[in-house]
């Protein structure tokens, strides 16, 4: 049984080196498998992405475990309380992929404004339809950012370069941080009412679960776009579908879903929807940074360092 268990497809220079120098079981599809319990029972370290649920139950059945490494920013799939109680170190990469997520959000915004995916699909099918694909400019439009941490601020910087007006809502950020980033701090209600596009950048917590539901979509402009590259569970997907069908909002772009991978449903059929498979953090650069950080931490903990 290996000393380090990797349960998802986590690659990069640092992982290659770790596999050369340590006893690593690389099991990219083990995250939903019952075998996970027995393999983890023997491991001193586990490296996961966001699919593997490291529950209290699993932690309690892993007596040799010293470190849990999350190759990414969100800790919502790790029971950090149970890990702390068991004296297990949890490491993660809170900032290393933020820029990539922010760049994807800009891509989604532009895709909504200019209908780039639809135009490409139509052109690929032999069309040359310039009239249907008359778009809108981002410049002069208002972007509302919910959650003004690292990613929210990186999105703000980029949106300002596009000439957008920035409003943001975050109860945990000091007021001066908004002005510094060129955004106006507003209430959640004002943000929903005034934004031409709303982009979500909060972590998944009990308090943010279904933060966007029927009431929030009804409070948005009928022309508004809704972007989620944070966590799927922050949105009530059924309410989103209804809001799109009834014209309460105009369109959405989602990089994350309430269940991943999702089963095919109404969102996949709708014209005013753009879906990507949780690729926000998936650039070569971000993955190199993330994997270098967590592999380094795993080596340090296993080597007896703090
Ligand atoms: C993150 O939390 O870092 C991103 O959602 C990407 C990931 O989970 O792999």
């Amino acid at each position: 049984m290996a000393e380090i268990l990797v349960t998802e497809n986590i690659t990069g220079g640092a992982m290659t080196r770790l596999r050369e120098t340590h006893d690593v079981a690389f099991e990219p599809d083990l995250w939903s498998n019952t075998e996970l319990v027995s393999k983890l029972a023997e491991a001193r370290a586990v490296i996961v992405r966001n699919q593997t649920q490291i529950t209290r139950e699993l932690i309690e059945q892993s007596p040799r475990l010293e470190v849990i490494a999350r190759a990414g920013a969100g800790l919502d799939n790790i029971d950090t309380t149970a890990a702390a109680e068991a004296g297990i170190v949890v490491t993660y990469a809170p900032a290393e992929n933020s820029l990539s997520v922010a760049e994807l959000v800009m891509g989604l915004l532009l895709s909504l404004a200019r209908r780039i995916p639809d135009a490409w699909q139509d052109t690929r099918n032999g069309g040359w339809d310039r009239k249907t694909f008359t778009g809108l400019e981002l410049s002069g439009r208002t972007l509302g950012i919910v959650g003004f941490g690292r990613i929210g601020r990186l999105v703000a910087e980029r949106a300002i370069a596009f000439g957008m007006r920035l409003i943001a809502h975050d109860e945990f950020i000091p007021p001066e941080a908004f002005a510094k980033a060129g955004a106006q701090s507003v209430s959640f209600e004002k943000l929903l009412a005034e934004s031409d596009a709303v982009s979500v950048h909060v972590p998944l917590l009990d308090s943010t679960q279904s933060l966007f539901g029927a009431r929030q979509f009804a409070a948005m402009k009928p022309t508004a776009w809704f972007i989620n590259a944070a966590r799927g569970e922050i949105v009530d997907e059924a309410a989103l579908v209804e809001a799109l069908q009834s014209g309460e909002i105009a369109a959405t772009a989602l990089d994350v879903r309430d269940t991943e991978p999702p089963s095919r449903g109404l969102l996949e059929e709708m014209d005013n929807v753009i879906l990507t498979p949780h690729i926000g953090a998936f650039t070569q650069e971000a993955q190199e940074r993330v994997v270098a950080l967590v592999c380094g931490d795993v080596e340090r903990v296993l080597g007896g360092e703090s």
Side-chain angles (χ1 to χ4, degrees):
M1 288 283 185
E3 162 178 66
I4 303 173
L5 179 63
V6 181
T7 66
E8 296 180 56
N9 190 31
I10 300 165
T11 56
M15 179 59 78
T16 306
R17 285 190 296 281
L18 191 75
R19 292 174 70 176
E20 282 163 5
T21 54
H22 290 73
D23 177 18
V24 178
F26 191 77
E27 305 259 13
D29 297 315
L30 197 62
W31 49 273
S32 60
N33 196 312
T34 42
E35 251 185 277
L36 177 62
V37 181
S38 66
K39 296 225 164 137
L40 204 51
E42 299 298 323
R44 292 178 64 204
V46 62
I47 308 181
V48 304
R49 209 186 277 293
N50 70 326
Q51 298 281 5
T52 317
Q53 299 300 317
I54 303 287
T55 58
R56 174 176 289 277
E57 206 190 351
L58 205 52
I59 288 170
E60 285 172 356
Q61 293 176 77
S62 310
R64 298 191 66 217
L65 200 59
E66 292 169 46
V67 51
I68 299 166
R70 162 69 169 97
L75 283 172
D76 43 280
N77 56 320
I78 318 279
D79 189 330
T80 51
T81 310
E85 282 170 20
I88 297 170
V89 175
V90 177
T91 179
Y92 72 128
E96 283 59 27
N97 60 28
S98 307
L99 178 61
S100 294
V101 179
E103 289 189 359
L104 182 81
V105 169
M106 294 312 294
L108 295 175
L109 249 180
L110 287 165
S111 296
L112 287 164
R114 305 303 300 268
R115 300 186 53 198
I116 299 168
D118 285 348
W120 158 233
Q121 198 61 47
D122 187 71
T123 308
R124 179 180 231 178
N125 291 336
W128 193 256
D129 186 353
R130 299 167 75 193
K131 196 155 47 68
T132 301
F133 298 112
T134 303
L136 295 165
E137 289 182 344
L138 294 184
S139 183
R141 292 199 142 70
T142 298
L143 175 64
I145 298 181
V146 181
F148 211 53
R150 277 187 206 88
I151 300 175
R153 280 181 249 176
L154 287 167
V155 171
E157 263 175 36
R158 279 145 190 80
I160 286 169
F162 273 84
M164 298 190 85
R165 170 184 171 240
L166 259 294
I167 57 177
H169 175 73
D170 193 322
E171 286 162 16
F172 302 99
I173 298 288
E176 59 276 12
F178 292 91
K180 203 168 155 217
Q184 186 194 348
S185 166
V186 295
S187 68
F188 190 35
E189 290 67 30
K190 189 171 159 76
L191 182 141
L192 295 175
E194 289 191 7
S195 299
D196 296 306
V198 173
S199 190
V200 194
H201 298 289
V202 293
L204 177 64
L205 305 168
D206 287 345
S207 58
T208 60
Q209 183 102 28
S210 297
L211 179 66
F212 282 84
R215 208 162 52 78
Q216 288 68 34
F217 292 123
M220 286 166 62
K221 292 183 182 179
T223 50
W225 305 315
F226 176 73
I227 298 171
N228 186 8
R231 283 291 179 271
E233 297 92 327
I234 292 164
V235 177
D236 175 345
E237 276 193 12
L240 175 60
V241 168
E242 272 186 47
L244 291 162
Q245 281 173 333
S246 65
E248 263 168 1
I249 67 168
T252 193
L254 306 175
D255 184 48
V256 289
R257 303 295 298 279
D258 59 5
T259 307
E260 294 183 6
S263 44
R264 211 178 156 77
L266 285 170
L267 282 168
E268 283 75 9
E269 306 294 332
M270 297 169 81
D271 287 338
N272 47 355
V273 175
I274 296 171
L275 302 172
T276 49
H278 200 151
I279 52 169
F282 277 57
T283 60
Q284 287 178 13
E285 293 88 349
Q287 289 310 305
E288 283 295 335
R289 289 190 294 263
V290 164
V291 172
L293 187 145
V294 296
C295 287
D297 280 354
V298 165
E299 279 191 276
R300 271 186 285 280
V301 175
L302 296 188
E305 289 179 50
S306 70

